[in-house]
């Protein structure tokens, strides 16, 4: 299954630490014989395609903060860790969005937004360990879910690798300036991939929505929804046009 994959993209045998054996529950640990450590979406696509050709099952691992066993390898499975996909690609103050890698811890996202005078409203007790990929794939709610909604309300763009290595991309910067689509159409494609717990795709990158620190009712280009603070987040307003034109890659 390794084929011509760069040796820096995986650890094998005794080089695989115990942290890859199970999630935070500590139940049914099984250390995988090999763990992949991709650095980019292209790496993930190559790894997934190679494993598919070889019939090698994979389990995706992020911050390992889950308690349901979803990131715990089963006998015979190898793991794909997102730990090297820890990066902030862009923070756009004008559109109040932040684009991050799937392995980026929630706390790092929150701090980056705060330094820019913004607020990323989703919060979890495991903020220092949980990562963007897990938050999106489980459609996490967190400590402020009643006020700000689930994770899907904050996702504007997404890049995902399917089980055959195909890369799908919903990019909020693509076709900027074109007439926006209704929010329902945004959900038709992108939101299918949110909250699926890695069942249909490995999420590698995402563009998330940030709020102004003192004005949670801000919409995409910095225009208040009704000129007042405290307005519902964009994804909760019926009939609100999407900020971006989403297209398949």
């Amino acid at each position: 299954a390794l084929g011509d994959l760069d040796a820096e993209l995986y650890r094998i045998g005794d080089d695989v630490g115990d942290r890859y054996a199970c999630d935070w529950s500590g139940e049914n640990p099984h250390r995988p014989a090999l763990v992949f450590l991709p650095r980019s979406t292209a790496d993930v696509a190559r790894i997934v395609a190679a494993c598919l050709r070889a019939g090698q099952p994979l389990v995706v691992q992020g911050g390992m903060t889950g308690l349901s066993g979803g990131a715990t390898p089963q006998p015979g499975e190898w793991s794909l860790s997102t730990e090297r996909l820890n990066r902030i690609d862009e923070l756009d103050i004008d559109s109040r969005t932040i684009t991050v890698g799937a392995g980026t811890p929630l706390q790092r996202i929150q701090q980056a937004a705060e330094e820019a005078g913004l607020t990323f409203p989703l919060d979890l007790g495991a903020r220092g360990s949980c990562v963007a990929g897990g938050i999106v794939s489980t459609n996490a709610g967190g400590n402020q879910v009643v006020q700000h909604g689930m994770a899907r309300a904050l996702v504007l763009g997404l890049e995902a690798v399917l089980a055959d290595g195909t890369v799908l991309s919903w990019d909020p910067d693509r076709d900027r300036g074109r007439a926006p689509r209704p929010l329902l159409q945004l959900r038709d494609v992108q939101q299918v991939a949110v909250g699926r717990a890695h069942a249909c795709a490995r999420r590698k990158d995402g563009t998330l929505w940030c709020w102004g620190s003192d004005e949670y009712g801000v919409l995409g280009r910095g225009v208040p929804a009704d000129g007042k603070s405290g307005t519902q987040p964009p994804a909760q307003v019926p009939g609100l046009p999407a900020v971006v034109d989403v297209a398949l890659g």
Side-chain angles (χ1 to χ4, degrees):
L2 300 180
D4 59 352
L5 293 176
D6 189 332
E8 294 183 357
L9 293 180
Y10 59 86
R11 296 175 188 163
I12 193 168
D14 292 338
D15 292 332
V16 177
D18 289 337
R19 70 174 299 270
Y20 303 104
C22 65
D23 64 12
W24 195 254
S25 70
E27 297 181 356
N28 306 311
H30 184 85
R31 190 168 67 174
L34 183 147
V35 56
F36 288 108
L37 300 164
R39 298 162 296 195
S40 66
T41 302
D43 287 344
V44 176
R46 291 172 56 207
I47 290 168
V48 171
C51 288
L52 178 65
R53 289 193 297 270
Q56 173 62 48
L58 281 176
V59 59
V60 180
Q61 298 180 329
M64 305 296 282
T65 60
L67 297 172
S68 64
T72 300
Q74 299 299 306
E77 290 182 338
W78 292 350
S79 73
L80 188 155
S81 173
T82 63
E83 62 191 77
R84 288 183 178 172
L85 297 171
N86 178 358
R87 65 178 187 272
I88 295 177
D89 293 331
E90 181 185 19
L91 198 161
D92 189 328
I93 296 178
D94 291 334
S95 64
R96 306 196 181 195
T97 61
I98 184 169
T99 303
V100 303
T104 309
L106 173 59
Q107 189 169 33
R108 185 181 178 191
I109 298 171
Q110 292 173 328
Q111 289 174 344
E114 184 177 352
E115 290 171 2
L118 302 173
T119 297
F120 184 69
L122 190 147
D123 186 46
L124 300 167
R127 65 186 68 84
S129 303
C130 65
V131 297
I135 290 170
V136 173
S137 65
T138 58
N139 188 28
N143 305 329
Q144 303 183 98
V145 64
V146 174
Q147 183 174 3
H148 300 297
M150 306 291 284
R152 72 169 64 248
L154 301 172
V155 177
L156 288 180
L158 195 66
E159 188 169 70
V161 179
L162 301 184
D164 63 353
T166 300
V167 178
L168 297 182
S169 179
W170 298 270
D171 186 355
D173 288 325
R174 181 180 300 153
D175 299 326
R176 179 171 289 181
R178 293 175 57 186
R181 298 179 184 179
L183 184 62
L184 180 60
Q185 289 180 303
L186 173 66
R187 288 179 173 174
D188 282 346
V189 181
Q190 175 181 298
Q191 297 298 337
V192 170
V194 178
R196 295 303 295 265
H198 301 291
C200 64
R202 277 83 175 165
R203 289 129 193 101
K204 297 299 110 194
D205 299 277
T207 298
L208 307 173
W209 205 308
C210 297
W211 269 256
S213 296
D214 59 350
E215 189 174 34
Y216 284 177
V218 170
L219 305 186
R221 298 294 172 225
V223 181
D226 59 358
K228 301 177 182 179
S229 61
T231 308
Q232 287 184 316
Q236 298 176 349
V237 181
L240 179 69
V243 173
V244 297
D245 187 11
V246 179
L248 289 176

